[in-house]
Amino acid sequence: MDWYPLYNSLRIALISSVAVFFSGIFAAYYIAKLHPAVKGVLDVVLTLPLVLPPTVVGYFLLMVLGPRRIFGAWFMEVFQTRLVMTWYSGIFAASVVAFPLMYRTARGAFESFDETLAFSGQTLGLSDTYIFWRIRMPACRQGIMAGGVLSFARALGEYGATSMIAGYTPGRTATISTTVYQLWRTDNDALALKWVLVNVGISAVVLLVVNLLEKREKASKGSRASGGSLG
């Protein structure tokens, strides 16, 4: 059994989830401060990949990164590197489809943050940077971590956009999802089932982590509420 699809899927998911983690937090924090009309437009644009069919997302990516498109052709001319039909093409696809999950989860965590804590820090002369990393992020960490885990799971299971922009080449671009499809298409159901079980096992672990984080968040909120009532 060739384990390359697992290795490739994990590295694509890890790299894209790290990129999505920080970009999602950044977007959620700063977009929340914009004018409601602007925020509404950006919210629709950034969340759109969540509801679009993955193949449509893949089509848009090909329109941008394809070797005959403006950006793809420029990148090919300057760096002599293709942005499609390579293993790292999957990073672009996984990042785009996973970003809305991280963005919306982080936005929800920031919206539930008690702003009086930030105002108190400002009255003490603390900088916005200090307040963000030492007060806001710790208070929102459970929700943000859950968003990061969900983004990783979404990136790991991505198929539609990945198949269009990276294709399927054994030992080069194959992922778990594309491998399952190719094995099924060639009537190799036994090996396809093994990869399905691998994917199910990883997804189950991810969901257990998310549930654990949610329980810890509820327990933390409950302890703060009881502490406040006692005070």
Side-chain angles (χ1 to χ4, degrees), residues 2 10 14 36 58 72 77 82 92-93 100 107 112 120 124 143 153 176 178 198 213 219:
D2 180 17
L10 288 175
L14 285 171
E77 181 179 353
R82 292 171 58 92
F92 303 128
R107 193 189 68 179
S112 64
S120 299
L124 295 174
I176 295 177
T178 57
V198 169
L213 290 173

Side-chain angles (χ1 to χ4, degrees), residues 60-74:
F60 281 126
L61 287 173
L62 285 175
M63 292 299 99
V64 176
L65 304 178
R68 296 183 180 180
R69 304 299 171 177
I70 295 177
F71 184 77
W74 172 83

Side-chain angles (χ1 to χ4, degrees), residues 38-115:
V38 178
K39 182 171 66 173
V41 172
L42 291 177
D43 189 60
V44 170
V45 172
L46 295 178
T47 311
L48 200 57
L50 189 64
V51 296
L52 284 176
T55 49
V56 174
V57 176
Y59 176 81
F60 281 126
L61 287 173
L62 285 175
M63 292 299 99
V64 176
L65 304 178
R68 296 183 180 180
R69 304 299 171 177
I70 295 177
F71 184 77
W74 172 83
F75 200 90
M76 182 68 180
E77 181 179 353
V78 174
F79 299 101
Q80 306 301 313
T81 302
R82 292 171 58 92
L83 294 178
V84 297
M85 300 306 160
T86 62
W87 76 265
Y88 49 82
S89 301
I91 297 175
F92 303 128
S95 298
V96 171
V97 298
F99 177 84
L101 281 173
M102 186 65 221
Y103 166 71
R104 293 190 71 87
T105 307
R107 193 189 68 179
F110 289 145
E111 288 176 350
S112 64
F113 175 73
D114 185 0
E115 290 294 337

Side-chain angles (χ1 to χ4, degrees), residues 125-136:
L126 301 178
S127 66
D128 291 339
T129 302
Y130 184 94
I131 293 172
F132 179 82
W133 289 109
R134 298 299 182 89
I135 299 177
R136 191 182 301 272

Side-chain angles (χ1 to χ4, degrees), residues 151-211:
S151 299
F152 173 81
R154 181 65 185 88
L156 185 68
E158 212 304 295
Y159 170 75
T162 300
S163 64
M164 292 190 67
I165 195 173
Y168 172 79
T169 304
R172 292 184 59 188
T173 66
T175 63
I176 295 177
S177 299
T178 57
T179 299
V180 168
Y181 174 76
Q182 291 298 325
L183 291 173
W184 169 81
R185 193 174 64 85
T186 55
D187 295 325
N188 193 344
D189 290 342
L191 190 54
L193 179 59
K194 291 181 180 179
W195 280 116
V196 167
L197 293 176
V198 169
N199 208 346
V200 168
I202 296 174
S203 299
V205 171
V206 169
L207 289 177
L208 287 174
V209 172
V210 172
N211 289 336

